[in-house]
Amino acid sequence: MKKGCFNVMLAAILFLAIAGTSYAFKFDFHGKMWQTVGVTDSYEAMKGPQKSGPTDYFSYNGQLNDKGLKSGMYSVMSENDDAFFGLTKARLRFEGTTDDGLAKLVYGLEVGTNNWGDDDFDLSGDPDNQETRFAYAEVVMPVIGGKVRAGLQPTKINHWVWTETAPGLTYHTTFGDWKAMGGWYRGEDDTTANIEGDNDYLVIKADNKLTPNTTLGFFGIYTDLDTDETSLGDEYDGEYYYLGLTGKYSKGKLFGDFDFIYQGGDIDFDAPAIDDLDRSAWLGNLTVGFKVSDDFKISGNILYVSGDDDPNDDDAENFDAIDVDVFVGTIFFKDSVMADCDRFISDAPYIMDKGLINYAIQGEYQISAKNNLRAAVRYLMTAEDLELKPNESDDDLGYEFDLWYTYTLNKHVDLKIDAACLIAGDGADHLAASDNYDSDDLYKLAAGIKISF
């Protein structure tokens, strides 16, 4: 009898607790899942050998600091195994908001992309591959207004510089037609357990809708990086800053956008015998388009990302992003359902320290409410010559042809087909070290399902 009373009381307490919580909070769940199958004639070009996040590229004493660069980058254009592959990736995000809307917590999980058949994604499953993507709180500030976010949160500073998550403290507000944010982020730092870390990022960003058709924005980032070792074993610390100007325009049949970003700073070596470096680099991006009809539009794009032309001088002239996922076609970069599943050559807008130039003609046709087709032809080259092939140098990566098709099954489900082919240029030979510096043309073809709610 006593046990029965206890169970009833416990059930009543839990009911009241849950009911009270439900009354105080509103809950939302969101998620995405990708299931993709595909084929390529060069699986080395699917392994993500160059990532922006864990790297800091610069040349000194005639050699490249390529810490974080996978060895496959030097042979990514070599002839290698054909592959037929299957991929799975999933994200789940939970949001709890107080009924008055003054506070919110966000927690996100991700199962990073798994190849079907890998050790942690094979028979019987049970993979140990779950990671935290978001863990932050957001609170509306009394009196002054605006919102403060604290914890692991999205950055979204600029598509070419920093878009991935980072832990930090940020303030977001609007005044008039301005939308602004500022904050502090802490990067990867092994010393934070002793509260001595100095791998810090200070950010300010503002955008203003000048007219109904025009938006202009700017941002600034200051980075004070912790002492690190180059891939050659020399200790250094970097102190960089980014200054960016961005804009968008859309009126009638015309549309366009631009970015201009300057990166400056210093690279200081601990060893007196090694000259310190001055960082001076820039990125320019311009897209201009025309709406032929309500369903069809075309555009042209020019992207220039500076590279380093002399590995022996005291200047680091190559642009180096913080942590991004850039869309510059399918073969090298991340504009595809394969890249959504983390299969790409580079997620940064450059090839090592040699920068990038992209000339592209793009078209998009909304065939019907459910059918969308995109296509692009682009010419890719490095801003400075690649010099990995003995006694030769070249910047011609080649011509790329991209095709994307999306069928919208309903508002939650997209069926996708992506295809791309690269007619490799002489510059691509420098990325074929394991094949006597003789690059092959390369293709990728994939079909996938993207489910989101």
Side-chain angles (χ1 to χ4, degrees):
M1 184 67 178
K2 291 182 179 179
K3 183 176 180 181
C5 290
F6 175 79
N7 289 338
V8 171
M9 290 177 63
L10 179 60
I13 291 170
L14 290 173
F15 173 80
L16 291 173
I18 294 172
T21 302
S22 299
Y23 178 78
F25 274 83
K26 292 180 287 189
F27 300 107
D28 283 310
F29 289 93
H30 304 277
K32 292 182 181 179
M33 177 175 283
W34 295 262
Q35 302 287 355
T36 301
V37 295
V39 62
T40 179
D41 60 349
S42 179
Y43 195 67
E44 198 70 38
M46 301 285 288
K47 295 181 177 179
Q50 177 177 277
K51 287 187 66 62
S52 55
T55 54
D56 185 11
Y57 298 124
F58 55 82
S59 290
Y60 70 105
N61 290 347
Q63 299 187 69
L64 173 67
N65 172 40
D66 60 1
K67 189 173 182 178
L69 191 74
K70 297 180 183 177
S71 60
M73 188 64 188
Y74 295 102
S75 59
V76 73
M77 296 302 300
S78 299
E79 181 180 359
N80 56 62
D81 293 337
D82 297 349
F84 180 69
F85 53 87
L87 308 169
T88 294
K89 181 178 179 178
R91 289 175 175 171
L92 183 65
R93 187 175 82 251
F94 162 81
E95 296 183 5
T97 307
T98 58
D99 283 349
D100 56 14
L102 296 180
K104 177 170 72 172
L105 64 90
V106 179
Y107 185 72
L109 298 174
E110 178 175 316
V111 175
T113 302
N114 288 271
N115 292 311
W116 297 355
D118 276 354
D119 290 342
D120 57 356
F121 213 76
D122 56 8
L123 300 181
S124 299
D126 298 328
D128 183 17
N129 55 18
Q130 185 171 287
E131 63 184 66
T132 299
R133 179 165 177 80
F134 298 118
Y136 68 90
E138 181 179 284
V139 180
V140 173
M141 296 300 293
V143 184
I144 63 172
K147 299 177 181 179
V148 168
R149 289 179 186 165
L152 182 62
Q153 58 187 283
T155 56
K156 296 183 180 179
I157 308 303
N158 178 268
H159 174 68
W160 306 107
V161 179
W162 200 6
T163 55
E164 282 290 352
T165 60
L169 182 67
T170 59
Y171 175 66
H172 306 255
T173 190
T174 58
F175 48 96
D177 293 326
W178 286 92
K179 181 179 179 181
M181 67 84 66
W184 159 69
Y185 296 94
R186 169 61 55 82
E188 182 180 348
D189 201 323
D190 294 333
T191 63
T192 51
N194 298 319
I195 319 299
E196 297 174 354
D198 62 352
N199 199 347
D200 295 316
Y201 301 78
L202 300 177
V203 176
I204 186 170
K205 178 182 178 181
D207 297 282
N208 184 15
K209 198 169 184 63
L210 297 176
T211 72
N213 310 109
T214 307
T215 300
L216 189 66
F218 71 89
F219 67 89
I221 305 172
Y222 169 76
T223 73
D224 182 12
L225 303 183
D226 198 9
T227 301
D228 199 358
E229 281 191 358
T230 69
S231 54
L232 306 174
D234 298 306
E235 285 196 348
Y236 76 99
D237 62 84
E239 188 175 1
Y240 309 136
Y241 62 88
Y242 298 82
L243 299 174
L245 183 67
T246 64
K248 292 183 179 180
Y249 176 82
S250 179
K251 184 177 182 180
K253 293 183 177 296
L254 295 177
F255 64 91
D257 62 75
F258 77 90
D259 303 85
F260 180 80
I261 304 162
Y262 179 78
Q263 180 186 7
D266 302 292
I267 300 168
D268 298 327
F269 290 92
D270 286 353
I274 303 176
D275 291 341
D276 296 335
L277 305 180
D278 293 324
R279 181 139 237 162
S280 180
W282 66 280
L283 179 151
N285 177 66
L286 175 65
T287 298
V288 177
F290 179 76
K291 296 177 182 177
V292 180
S293 68
D294 291 340
D295 301 320
F296 179 51
K297 61 183 179 181
I298 58 173
S299 62
N301 174 258
I302 300 175
L303 170 68
Y304 181 91
V305 186
S306 67
D308 196 345
D309 64 345
D310 186 350
N312 293 291
D313 64 14
D314 296 339
D315 296 317
E317 298 168 318
N318 62 296
F319 187 84
D320 193 83
I322 296 174
D323 199 358
V324 291
D325 298 292
V326 300
F327 306 134
V328 194
T330 298
I331 295 294
F332 284 95
F333 305 102
K334 294 198 70 174
D335 195 357
S336 70
V337 69
M338 292 166 287
D340 285 344
C341 292
D342 305 314
R343 298 296 179 261
F344 55 88
I345 292 176
S346 173
D347 67 357
Y350 40 75
I351 301 297
M352 294 179 286
D353 67 334
K354 297 306 178 185
L356 183 74
I357 302 176
N358 170 69
Y359 302 100
I361 300 296
Q362 306 159 137
E364 182 173 356
Y365 181 33
Q366 189 68 43
I367 303 170
S368 67
K370 289 183 174 292
N371 294 274
N372 180 271
L373 186 67
R374 282 198 299 139
V377 178
R378 67 185 74 249
Y379 175 58
L380 294 163
M381 56 193 297
T382 50
E384 303 294 341
D385 285 350
L386 288 161
E387 299 176 316
L388 300 173
K389 187 176 182 179
N391 304 315
E392 293 189 31
S393 62
D394 206 288
D395 58 8
D396 177 14
L397 296 175
Y399 289 91
E400 181 177 330
F401 303 87
D402 300 310
L403 186 68
W404 303 267
Y405 169 73
T406 300
Y407 178 80
T408 302
L409 187 64
N410 58 39
K411 66 178 182 179
H412 298 294
V413 182
D414 288 330
L415 310 179
K416 293 177 171 288
I417 299 176
D418 298 341
C421 176
L422 177 76
I423 309 301
D426 291 340
D429 290 344
H430 293 261
L431 302 176
S434 66
D435 201 26
N436 295 317
Y437 296 100
D438 184 16
S439 65
D440 274 3
D441 298 339
L442 194 157
Y443 78 85
K444 296 179 181 179
L445 174 65
I449 302 171
K450 179 183 177 182
I451 302 174
S452 59
F453 64 90

